[in-house]
Amino acid sequence: MKRMVSLFSSLALTTGVLAGCGPDGETTKTNPNEGNKQTETSENSMPPKPDKLVVWEDVKRGVALEPAIKAFEEKYGIKVEYKEVEMATKQREQLRLDGPAGTGPDVITVPHDQIGQLVTEGLIREINVDPSVLDQFTESSIQAETYKGKLYGLPKAVETPVLIYNKKLMDKAPETMDELYQFAKGFTKGDKYGFLALWDNFYFAHGVIAGMGGYVFKEDNGTLDPKNLGLNNDGAVKGAEYIQKWYKELFPKGIIGENGGSTMDGLFNEGKVASVMNGPWAFQGMRDAGIEIGVAPMPTLPNGEHMKTLMGVKGWHVSAFSKNPEWATKLIEFLTNEESAKKRFELTKEIPPVKALVDDPLIAEDEGAKAVAIQSQYAVPMPNIPEMSEVWGPMATALQLVANQKIKPKKALDEAMKTIQTNIETNHSGE
């Protein structure tokens, strides 16, 4: 138990893991919005109460909102309605239409890497909260919700890929990728596989490429430089070569491309795969399939370094079209406080970045939460600047060529870099 507490505490205190922009994370009595000191807004100084606030929640997550909504309604007498809208793309797309029409929500939830684009499009607004509110969260999660020195949301959950294994097929998780490779080489036969990963998808491949020395945007004193990319440097090439080795020797062709994820999930849930690289969102489906899973941090790479997986932070944000932004901000404080975060974990298993919960037995003794916490110490939060949108497509093309062994990794990455740089110059020169 002491070890678990230590691991979670180190996650809470970890600094500098964000390769993005934002405040220095010190728990002082100032708001992260530069030069703007804040004090708690009393109810008396708030604008008149609205009759209703509307929240867009992710699909199949609404049940986790209900306790916080009830507490908010009882305290302030404001009715709160929620609607489930797919988080990754639909909320942003729908807000573009519903916001200007006056039919949109007051609060939305999106992955933190969309913040830069949402701000650029004028879809979400800066929020101001008391320092005591910010002090509840891990520093990296607050940094992830920050763009160009301004706070645009509060975090509700963190996630990063980990190693998930079938305990009937693998006794314990290997500590190194060399060990995992040897296990997979002996186990893989016919339709049985020792290890699978969606490394033709840059979200997952980043762990290998960055762990070998590549990077997306160079970080300089808390700011990302979109003109300095490291996706075809020597480390990135070594990472791509390592990825190609697995596809050439041990991975099936069926996990390449658009249907790769569902194919991999199906094989694992059928008991044909000993281990996979996947995120905490996959835990429940595996358990529902009757698989007794074990979860561990990703094994270290052949160079001795940890995989630098991408970390995602899901947060609550105030719509720029809300007519009641102060009350919407007050609502997201309720949605992310300690009590609400703990209840959300109970109901959804989404891991909250709330420091007071790091030693709570409910979370600290959960194998999956523990693994995510450990891996998060080595993870790099996804860049939240708009230029990141130009990275995914070209890198997917390059990695699929690498996975299909149709091109040498160096050439594939060089071509991806040219495309990314051209698209950034064309589409983001005025930002």
Side-chain angles (χ1 to χ4, degrees):
M1 179 62 185
K2 288 183 178 179
R3 177 171 169 75
M4 288 184 183
V5 172
S6 175
L7 291 168
F8 274 81
S9 296
S10 61
L11 171 62
L13 297 174
T14 296
T15 60
V17 297
L18 179 64
C21 54
D24 60 13
E26 293 182 3
T27 54
T28 63
K29 294 299 180 180
T30 60
N31 185 275
N33 306 332
E34 285 186 19
N36 183 18
K37 293 195 174 185
Q38 299 292 325
T39 57
E40 186 173 10
T41 303
S42 68
E43 187 177 346
N44 291 334
S45 64
M46 293 282 282
K49 295 180 181 179
D51 294 329
K52 181 177 71 174
L53 293 170
V54 178
V55 180
W56 282 356
E57 170 64 290
D58 197 10
V59 292
K60 299 181 180 179
R61 294 288 189 268
V63 64
L65 273 182
E66 292 173 2
I69 286 175
K70 182 179 179 181
F72 182 85
E73 289 178 336
E74 289 177 352
K75 181 166 184 177
Y76 294 114
I78 301 172
K79 182 175 176 58
V80 179
E81 293 181 356
Y82 72 84
K83 176 182 178 182
E84 293 186 346
V85 180
E86 192 272 325
M87 176 188 67
T89 58
K90 296 296 183 183
Q91 293 207 17
R92 179 175 56 180
E93 293 172 0
Q94 202 164 325
L95 185 60
R96 288 174 179 147
L97 301 174
D98 293 358
T103 58
D106 297 280
V107 173
I108 65 169
T109 181
V110 294
H112 83 273
D113 60 309
Q114 294 185 12
I115 291 174
Q117 189 62 41
L118 289 165
V119 172
T120 301
E121 292 185 39
L123 297 177
I124 60 174
R125 67 171 69 224
E126 177 188 359
I127 65 170
N128 296 315
V129 299
D130 189 75
S132 63
V133 173
L134 299 182
D135 288 348
Q136 297 177 86
F137 306 101
T138 59
E139 295 171 2
S140 59
S141 67
I142 289 296
Q143 288 175 316
E145 296 297 319
T146 305
Y147 178 67
K148 292 187 176 180
K150 296 180 179 180
L151 184 69
Y152 284 93
L154 293 178
K156 69 173 181 177
V158 295
E159 57 190 21
T160 196
V162 289
L163 184 76
I164 309 171
Y165 60 99
N166 185 329
K167 289 187 174 181
K168 290 184 179 179
L169 304 178
M170 180 180 282
D171 293 334
K172 63 177 183 177
E175 295 185 1
T176 70
M177 287 301 296
D178 286 340
E179 292 175 49
L180 183 56
Y181 173 80
Q182 291 302 322
F183 171 87
K185 200 169 183 179
F187 186 92
T188 301
K189 186 177 181 181
D191 62 351
K192 303 280 188 178
Y193 302 95
F195 172 69
L196 295 179
L198 302 175
W199 283 339
D200 66 326
N201 180 329
F202 184 59
Y203 176 79
F204 295 100
H206 182 279
V208 178
I209 289 173
M212 292 286 198
Y215 59 88
V216 184
F217 303 118
K218 192 72 173 179
E219 185 267 336
D220 182 20
N221 197 29
T223 299
L224 291 176
D225 183 357
K227 295 182 179 180
N228 186 336
L229 293 95
L231 291 172
N232 66 339
N233 66 13
D234 290 344
V237 172
K238 289 178 182 177
E241 289 172 345
Y242 186 69
I243 285 171
Q244 190 172 70
K245 173 183 176 180
W246 279 86
Y247 278 98
K248 182 178 181 180
E249 299 179 17
L250 294 167
F251 286 177
K253 293 182 178 179
I255 66 166
I256 299 174
E258 186 177 346
N259 298 320
S262 58
T263 300
M264 186 183 78
D265 291 344
L267 288 170
F268 187 86
N269 291 345
E270 291 169 12
K272 296 178 179 179
V273 182
S275 62
V276 295
M277 179 185 188
N278 213 332
W281 54 84
F283 295 166
Q284 194 57 50
M286 294 170 171
R287 292 176 177 130
D288 291 345
I291 306 296
E292 183 184 2
I293 63 170
V295 189
M298 290 304 300
T300 55
L301 291 161
N303 64 355
E305 297 293 327
H306 291 280
M307 280 201 191
K308 293 184 178 180
T309 52
L310 285 172
M311 183 174 75
V313 178
K314 294 184 284 187
W316 294 108
H317 306 269
V318 177
S319 166
F321 306 98
S322 173
K323 295 179 180 178
N324 303 284
E326 294 88 352
W327 286 108
T329 299
K330 189 66 67 176
L331 175 59
I332 68 174
E333 292 179 14
F334 266 74
L335 301 184
T336 56
N337 66 24
E338 180 181 344
E339 182 179 355
S340 298
K342 184 174 180 178
K343 193 66 177 178
R344 174 171 287 274
F345 179 78
E346 286 184 276
L347 295 171
T348 68
K349 294 301 180 182
E350 292 174 293
I351 300 166
V354 176
K355 292 186 288 188
L357 296 177
V358 296
D359 59 353
D360 189 291
L362 180 71
I363 295 175
E365 295 177 3
D366 182 286
E367 184 178 1
K370 174 187 174 184
V372 171
I374 297 171
Q375 184 61 40
S376 293
Q377 295 178 82
Y378 316 119
V380 177
M382 286 182 286
N384 64 6
I385 61 176
E387 288 85 353
M388 186 62 189
S389 64
E390 308 298 347
V391 173
W392 301 109
M395 284 302 294
T397 299
L399 290 166
Q400 287 182 20
L401 290 171
V402 167
N404 284 312
Q405 301 140 58
K406 292 182 177 180
I407 191 172
K408 290 187 176 181
K410 171 65 174 171
K411 185 177 181 181
L413 294 180
D414 284 345
E415 291 180 357
M417 275 283 290
K418 289 178 183 177
T419 302
I420 293 167
Q421 289 172 325
T422 298
N423 290 346
I424 287 176
E425 291 172 4
T426 301
N427 301 325
H428 303 273
S429 58
E431 294 174 359

